[in-house]
Amino acid sequence: EVILSESGGGSVQVGESLRLSCAAPGVTFDDADMGWYRQAPGKECELVSRISSDGITYYADSVKGRFTISLDNYKTKVYLQMNRLKPEDTADYFCASSLVAPVVAGVECDYWDEGIQVTVSS
């Protein structure tokens, strides 16, 4: 069983940065598509970013140019670097892996684990 665990969330001010990390004990992501979803209160789950097993990246329009998804050299962690944060980035963020389910738009956030909270204050 692959259990994804996120870290790095928290509360920041507008314009600041955060880096989210995700790992699964004993698991490498060599052949997996990885991604990050988010869900703000009262809003639908959104696929924020995705990196395929061959390195192709996807970003939602709302985060293009501000967020960067990457993997560490050992393919054991996936990161989401979030720069120039805005209040509308406030949400619970969920790490996703194709080792669990397809990382595509339309998957509900509660399909993944508990997620991690990011709050951006103005």
Side-chain angles (χ1 to χ4, degrees):
E1 182 181 9
V2 177
I3 301 175
L4 300 166
S5 179
E6 301 96 343
S7 62
S11 297
V12 296
Q13 299 292 312
V14 169
E16 294 185 339
S17 299
L18 279 175
R19 187 175 78 160
L20 304 182
S21 300
C22 172
V27 175
T28 59
F29 303 129
D30 300 66
D31 299 318
D33 300 330
M34 302 296 297
W36 292 89
Y37 293 78
R38 71 183 180 187
Q39 187 162 27
K43 295 191 176 181
E44 293 186 352
C45 183
E46 175 187 22
L47 176 60
V48 175
S49 184
R50 178 182 183 273
I51 183 166
S52 67
S53 58
D54 53 1
I56 298 172
T57 56
Y58 160 85
Y59 297 96
D61 287 343
S62 57
V63 307
K64 277 182 184 175
R66 300 188 298 120
F67 289 14
T68 304
I69 190 169
S70 62
L71 286 154
D72 70 342
N73 290 337
Y74 303 102
K75 304 291 180 72
T76 60
K77 287 186 178 180
V78 61
Y79 302 104
L80 185 68
Q81 178 67 44
M82 306 186 294
N83 297 329
R84 303 197 306 279
L85 282 161
K86 303 176 180 181
E88 50 264 44
D89 295 317
T90 295
D92 290 330
Y93 284 73
F94 301 83
C95 177
S97 172
S98 61
L99 297 176
V100 178
V103 181
V104 295
V107 176
E108 292 297 327
C109 285
D110 59 10
Y111 186 84
W112 307 103
D113 55 26
E114 293 184 356
I116 193 165
Q117 190 172 49
V118 171
T119 302
V120 185
S121 302
S122 57

